[in-house]
Amino acid sequence: MILLPGGRFRMGSDVHYREEAPAHEVDVSGFWIDRTPVTNREFAAFVAETGHLTLAEQAPNAADYPGALPEMLVAASLVFQPTTGPVRLNDWSQWWVWTAGANWRHPTGPGSSIDGLEDHPVVQVTPSDAEAYAAWAGKRLPTEAEWEYAGWGGNSAHEFAWGDDLEPGGRHMANIWQGEFPHGNTVADGYFRTSPVGHFPPNGFGLSDMIGNVWEWTSSWYADRHAANPGKACCVPQNPRGAALETSYDPAMPDIRIPRRVLKGGSHLCALSYCRRYRPAARHAQAIDSSTSHIGFRCVKDV
């Protein structure tokens, strides 16, 4: 882990996606943070010692999903599959496939494995899985504010954690999507899916894969806007924990009250043509029962 000193920084953005606004001042205390996302090797050690069964390895309870088709109530998870050509980008179901047997051991389905991917980030985990690992390791998940402070690496005055150019001098700084999403990844950075942690340059704090590779769970509940900037130095939030649980439900699903957490960092699926969330200020809502082939996590620890 790396010890971060804490301090004040400008969280959020007023010039990108609506949910990142308004930009506002935040103070965070010092904390320890994992240098990289938790890897398959590390998660396997946790499972071997505790026998933990991830949510994706368990069949859903029909009572929690009224109206669900019986064939959907099996141990499964979401797996990204590229389309054969251009599609409308407002329908994610065209490239996300509910796949029976997909879990952290088989990240893209029953025919896949993590053999040879021991140093890649673990995926197909929910917040409950991440928090079980964190408790076992004597750690916890970061808040959104802690994660974003760490993600900037002390460089929050710029567009990206490394400066104002996505690929300075033609150098790939993170594992993201190159080309037209979701069908035309040129794989110019060398990876179609996840990459080994630490392969790309670390940020100013020495932290790897804060941008790209996999989205990362936080402990913060999601709201579609940040709180307003208080505008006075005396009123800057200290160690904000995030929104209230009640704000996190998806208004598009009033009959299914599943809370959502904040994801940070973007993933290998973030693309110039679709999802420009390869920035520390970017954020995304994810239901706590949903694991995918592009979400992982890292842990923090109090000083």
Side-chain angles (χ1 to χ4, degrees):
M1 302 185 85
I2 291 178
L3 176 62
L4 302 187
R8 181 169 297 181
F9 76 106
R10 191 164 179 81
M11 182 176 178
S13 171
D14 293 323
V15 297
H16 290 285
Y17 294 101
R18 180 182 183 277
E19 68 272 10
E20 299 172 23
H24 58 293
E25 300 293 316
V26 167
D27 282 336
V28 294
S29 300
F31 59 97
W32 293 90
I33 183 167
D34 288 345
R35 187 182 301 269
T36 71
V38 172
T39 64
N40 285 314
R41 186 191 312 278
E42 292 166 328
F43 198 79
F46 154 67
V47 171
E49 184 169 313
T50 65
H52 179 82
L53 196 66
T54 63
L55 196 60
E57 296 172 281
Q58 306 172 51
N61 185 340
D64 295 332
Y65 302 93
L69 297 173
E71 58 266 29
M72 299 290 286
L73 298 174
V74 297
S77 194
L78 288 166
V79 174
F80 171 78
Q81 295 294 349
T83 60
T84 57
V87 296
R88 293 176 62 87
L89 297 179
N90 60 356
D91 179 10
W92 58 264
S93 66
Q94 296 178 97
W95 55 85
W96 284 109
V97 181
W98 182 246
T99 305
N103 54 57
W104 76 274
R105 299 180 192 272
H106 309 287
T108 59
S112 65
S113 80
I114 56 172
D115 291 344
L117 304 179
E118 290 83 0
D119 294 322
H120 287 230
V122 65
V123 294
Q124 301 293 15
V125 288
T126 64
S128 61
D129 302 319
E131 287 168 338
Y133 174 93
W136 171 77
K139 305 176 184 180
R140 61 176 174 83
L141 290 184
T143 65
E144 180 181 6
E146 289 172 329
W147 194 102
E148 188 167 329
Y149 171 78
W152 279 116
N155 197 29
S156 61
H158 295 278
E159 178 80 355
F160 306 104
W162 49 82
D164 291 321
D165 295 325
L166 179 60
E167 297 175 1
R171 185 183 188 189
H172 295 288
M173 303 298 290
N175 178 4
I176 61 175
W177 182 286
Q178 293 89 39
E180 291 298 315
F181 184 88
H183 65 283
N185 192 345
T186 66
V187 197
D189 62 9
Y191 296 95
F192 180 75
R193 295 189 186 270
T194 59
S195 52
V197 299
H199 176 79
F200 293 90
N203 70 9
F205 287 151
L207 301 171
S208 294
D209 298 282
M210 294 297 288
I211 298 299
N213 211 356
V214 293
W215 283 99
E216 298 182 13
W217 289 108
T218 71
S219 63
S220 296
W221 299 114
Y222 181 82
D224 64 1
R225 297 275 287 178
H226 284 306
N229 193 334
K232 296 181 179 180
C234 64
C235 305
V236 171
Q238 307 283 322
N239 298 315
R241 312 305 296 179
L245 169 65
E246 292 73 21
T247 70
S248 71
Y249 298 110
D250 188 347
M253 302 175 66
D255 297 328
I256 302 179
R257 303 281 284 173
I258 301 173
R260 296 177 295 168
R261 293 275 189 94
V262 175
L263 297 179
K264 296 290 283 185
S267 80
H268 56 273
L269 300 183
C270 285
L272 182 66
S273 61
Y274 171 61
C275 172
R276 303 181 188 188
R277 291 185 169 88
Y278 31 66
R279 298 169 290 102
R283 57 203 300 268
H284 183 63
Q286 186 76 8
I288 62 171
D289 66 338
S290 297
S291 52
T292 75
S293 58
H294 77 330
I295 300 177
F297 69 100
R298 78 179 71 211
C299 301
V300 300
K301 189 173 183 178
D302 295 318
V303 175

